[in-house]
């Protein structure tokens, strides 16, 4: 039986705009903006549908030609950060 | 306009149609000598998002310096849009809580529902439509939120009878155009504003669901804005028309019916023809049927009031002819010729000359003679 893995998607309560490779985010309940640079912006774009951290790492690994294992930890850290700041939400787990 | 400026405008026009059928075959380079004008025009006409999409697709080939300048302008536009959308969510929430139905027009609704990505379509203010019966209450609610109406109504009750919209500005520079119908003048008088509320769709924004017009009525409004909003038509409103045609679920029969009922067929036809002539895009055959409609002599005259006779009293004089009933006509003329002092003062503060009734009374003379008064 496979382990259950948390999946994430963009928070619907966040406004976003693409500016070149970057993404600018605006939370509704605070002033100011957050900018995501290239790789973080790519993660954000991937989360238009629910994905787990390993899935994100796998897709990023393909685009950057890097083994998912080496970037997996960074992806998990970034997702944790985005969740903490309310830009991304956890949408349950899948086995 | 210089030859160089004309050439630069041609480049901006090509950029403004990026992504529409038929696909542009050749990539586009901007000569360094024309870049400053092109960049300025892209920003002024809110086309930086479309230009950035062209850059991302490697169709618009800019130097690193040009790309960086465009990116800076686009970032500025996007920050403004996000600020406006934050306000949009707060305002629509407040209006709905007060029991006021509000419909988002143009900007955000077009950006999110019809463009490939909202960053393609930037906007400068918010456009909200409310029912005529809710107009006063909505103006008050905006005042409570520190929005100041730019120009008072000419006379009490004018807004509800003849008005289209009123602009309200916040101290921080954000502006809300509050509409009760879609266009000023005779075409606005022929629209049934309440019927617009039967033609509603919804779109998600920031975790909320906001009202907008349905796709067919969005196209009708986009045509009104493209054709009657500025003369000559601006590129972004023309692009909006093409974009809604390309991506919207337009019911062409219903559009033609609505155009007939509200006497807007000449506007639809004019807008669609302007899109083809200016942007050189392909439109579906259903659009061809509307484009081929020949307006009656009267309809043509009304359309000219917004276009070639614009700014020479065309709209005001035509409204007078189109208002049904002597009393209503007299009331409109009284509001124009003898507006409240507050309105006169506000108008005077905007113009070069001090406010006076005489100045207003001489205007119709200038319209009729076509000359400037030199008294």
């Amino acid at each position: 039986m496979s382990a259950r893995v948390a999946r994430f998607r963009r928070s619907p309560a966040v406004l976003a705009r693409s500016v070149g490779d970057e993404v600018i985010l605006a939370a509704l309940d605070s002033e100011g903006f957050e900018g995501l640079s290239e790789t973080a912006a790519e993660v954000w774009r991937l989360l238009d549908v629910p994905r787990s951290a390993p899935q994100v790492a796998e897709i990023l690994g393909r685009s950057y030609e890097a083994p998912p294992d080496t970037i997996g930890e960074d992806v998990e850290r970034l997702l944790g950060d985005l969740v903490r700041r309310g830009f991304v939400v956890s949408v349950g787990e899948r086995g | 306009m210089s030859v160089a400026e004309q050439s630069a405008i041609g480049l901006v026009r090509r950029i403004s149609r990026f992504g529409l059928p038929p696909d542009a075959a050749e990539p586009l380079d901007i000569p360094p000598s024309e870049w400053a004008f092109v960049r300025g025009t892209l920003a002024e006409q809110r086309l930086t998002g479309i230009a950035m999409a062209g850059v991302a697709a490697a169709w618009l080939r800019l130097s690193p310096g040009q790309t960086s300048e465009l990116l800076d302008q686009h970032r500025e536009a996007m920050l403004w849009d996000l600020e406006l959308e934050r306000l949009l969510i707060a305002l629509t929430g407040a209006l709905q809580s007060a029991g006021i139905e509000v419909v988002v027009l143009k900007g955000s609704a077009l950006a999110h529902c019809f463009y490939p990505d909202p960053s393609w379509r930037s906007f400068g203010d918010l456009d909200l439509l409310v029912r005529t019966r809710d107009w006063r209450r909505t103006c008050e609610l905006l005042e409570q939120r520190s929005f100041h109406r730019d120009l008072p109504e000419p006379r009490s009750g004018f807004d509800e009878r003849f008005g289209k919209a009123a602009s309200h500005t916040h101290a921080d520079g954000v502006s809300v155009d509050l509409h009760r119908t879609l266009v000023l003048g005779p075409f606005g008088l022929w629209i049934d504003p309440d019927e617009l509320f039967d033609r509603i769709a919804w779109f998600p924004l920031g975790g909320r669901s906001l009202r907008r017009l349905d796709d067919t009525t969005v196209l009708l409004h986009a045509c009104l804005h493209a054709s009657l909003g500025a003369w000559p038509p601006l590129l972004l409103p023309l692009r909006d028309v093409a974009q809604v045609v390309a991506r919207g679920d337009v019911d062409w029969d219903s559009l033609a019916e609505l155009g007939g009922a509200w006497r807007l067929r000449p506007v639809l036809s004019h807008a669609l023809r302007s899109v083809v002539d200016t942007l050189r895009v392909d439109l579906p055959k259903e659009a061809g049927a509307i484009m081929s409609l020949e307006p009656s002599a009267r309809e043509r005259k009304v359309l000219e009031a917004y276009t070639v006779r614009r700014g020479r009293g065309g709209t005001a004089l035509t409204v007078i002819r189109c208002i049904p009933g002597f009393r209503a006509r007299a009331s409109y003329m009284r509001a124009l010729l003898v507006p409240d002092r507050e309105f006169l003062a506000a108008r005077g503060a905007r113009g070069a000359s001090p406010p006076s009734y005489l100045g207003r009374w001489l205007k119709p003379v200038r319209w009729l003679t076509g000359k400037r008064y030199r008294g």
Side-chain angles (χ1 to χ4, degrees):
Chain A
M1 199 169 105
S2 60
R4 297 180 74 79
V5 181
R7 293 184 307 149
F8 304 90
R9 70 170 168 81
R10 300 174 194 167
S11 164
V14 171
L15 302 168
R17 284 295 191 281
S18 291
V19 179
D21 292 333
E22 310 158 32
V23 168
I24 305 174
L25 303 177
L28 294 183
D29 53 0
S30 62
E31 292 186 352
F33 306 97
E34 285 286 338
L36 301 180
S37 59
E38 201 177 337
T39 314
E42 206 170 327
V43 171
W44 168 264
R45 289 193 187 99
L46 288 172
L47 297 179
D48 59 337
V49 294
R51 292 186 207 271
S52 66
Q55 285 172 326
V56 171
E58 195 189 322
I59 296 169
L60 280 187
R62 276 203 301 269
S63 0
Y64 290 99
E65 292 177 1
D69 298 354
T70 57
I71 54 174
E73 212 172 291
D74 288 335
V75 166
E76 293 221 11
R77 225 182 354 248
L78 174 66
L79 287 173
D81 187 43
L82 291 173
V83 168
R84 227 178 357 265
R85 291 196 280 165
F87 296 132
V88 163
V89 290
S90 171
V91 287
E93 300 176 339
R94 177 174 278 180
Chain B
M1 189 183 291
S2 70
V3 175
E5 282 176 349
Q6 278 181 5
S7 158
I9 282 186
L11 293 171
V12 173
R13 194 177 295 139
R14 286 177 67 188
I15 293 169
S16 73
R17 63 168 309 287
F18 170 75
L20 292 171
D23 284 339
E26 295 296 315
L28 185 67
D29 297 291
I30 310 292
S33 60
E34 300 189 25
W35 171 243
F37 189 89
V38 168
R39 189 196 61 197
T41 311
L42 288 173
E44 191 183 290
Q45 298 216 18
R46 304 190 190 287
L47 295 165
T48 56
I50 296 171
M52 281 306 303
V55 171
W59 171 77
L60 179 57
R61 296 193 303 202
L62 301 182
S63 69
Q66 289 172 338
T67 306
S68 166
E69 286 179 12
L70 180 65
L71 202 59
D72 286 346
Q73 281 184 329
H74 182 52
R75 188 180 292 108
E76 208 174 296
M78 293 300 96
L79 289 171
W80 185 248
D81 284 3
L82 287 170
E83 194 70 67
L84 284 171
E85 287 192 339
R86 236 186 323 224
L87 173 68
L88 175 65
I89 288 168
L91 270 183
T92 50
L95 290 168
Q96 278 162 17
S97 301
I100 296 170
E101 280 175 78
V102 57
V103 177
V104 182
L105 301 175
K106 300 194 283 190
S108 215
L110 287 169
H112 286 275
C113 304
F114 298 96
Y115 280 83
D117 185 273
S119 62
W120 284 44
R121 196 347 180 140
S122 63
F123 40 94
D125 58 12
L126 297 179
D127 290 270
L128 303 177
L129 175 76
V130 295
R131 288 184 189 270
T132 303
R133 67 168 187 240
D134 292 327
W135 173 263
R136 294 278 146 196
R137 243 169 13 111
T138 312
C139 289
E140 284 164 19
L141 196 139
L142 287 172
E143 289 283 341
Q144 285 162 18
R145 293 188 156 243
S146 305
F147 282 85
H148 183 65
R149 183 167 166 161
D150 295 0
L151 202 59
E153 64 180 327
R155 287 182 80 94
S156 177
F158 183 92
D159 283 350
E160 285 94 334
R161 290 182 85 178
F162 310 113
K164 165 209 165 194
S167 191
H168 295 72
T169 307
H170 196 271
D172 61 13
V174 177
S175 174
V176 175
D177 264 354
L178 185 65
H179 296 245
R180 61 164 243 10
T181 186
L182 300 181
V183 64
L184 192 65
F187 289 122
L189 294 176
W190 292 332
I191 292 173
D192 177 358
D194 276 336
E195 203 184 317
L196 295 170
F197 287 81
D198 298 332
R199 299 174 169 275
I200 293 300
W202 298 80
F203 72 105
L205 186 70
R208 319 288 160 91
S209 205
L210 306 185
R211 280 187 191 85
R212 65 169 176 88
L213 297 173
D214 66 24
D215 292 15
T216 303
T217 319
V218 164
L219 179 57
L220 180 121
H221 185 210
C223 286
L224 289 172
H225 188 52
S227 214
L228 313 178
W231 182 256
L234 297 172
L235 291 170
L236 187 60
L238 291 174
R239 168 74 194 221
D240 287 341
V241 172
Q243 196 65 50
V244 178
V245 169
R247 290 178 73 107
D249 183 16
V250 175
D251 178 340
W252 291 93
D253 291 337
S254 166
L255 181 70
E257 256 174 54
L258 208 52
W262 290 346
R263 301 192 228 176
L264 297 174
R265 282 182 181 169
V267 187
L268 298 176
S269 166
H270 181 261
L272 294 169
R273 271 187 274 140
S274 301
V275 167
V276 172
D277 293 345
T278 308
L279 301 183
R280 310 270 172 213
V281 294
D282 292 342
L283 296 182
K285 65 176 192 316
E286 294 91 335
I290 290 181
M291 277 191 282
S292 64
L293 291 172
E294 276 303 317
S296 67
R298 187 179 188 221
E299 287 173 339
R300 194 165 36 241
K301 213 158 187 180
V302 173
L303 185 61
E304 284 173 359
Y306 291 85
T307 54
V308 291
R309 284 192 293 127
R310 193 188 183 102
R312 287 186 284 145
T315 317
L317 290 173
T318 313
V319 169
I320 293 166
R321 287 189 207 107
C322 295
I323 292 173
F326 174 76
R327 286 170 72 91
R329 217 174 281 177
S331 167
Y332 180 79
M333 286 174 69
R334 190 166 60 240
L336 285 193
L337 294 173
V338 198
D340 290 344
R341 290 256 167 220
E342 197 191 354
F343 175 84
L344 201 64
R347 286 292 285 213
R350 288 174 154 198
S353 51
S356 76
Y357 285 117
L358 179 63
R360 293 192 72 75
W361 298 338
L362 287 171
K363 261 190 189 173
V365 176
R366 290 200 294 267
W367 294 340
L368 293 173
T369 60
K371 291 174 187 168
R372 290 199 69 77
Y373 175 70
R374 295 174 188 278

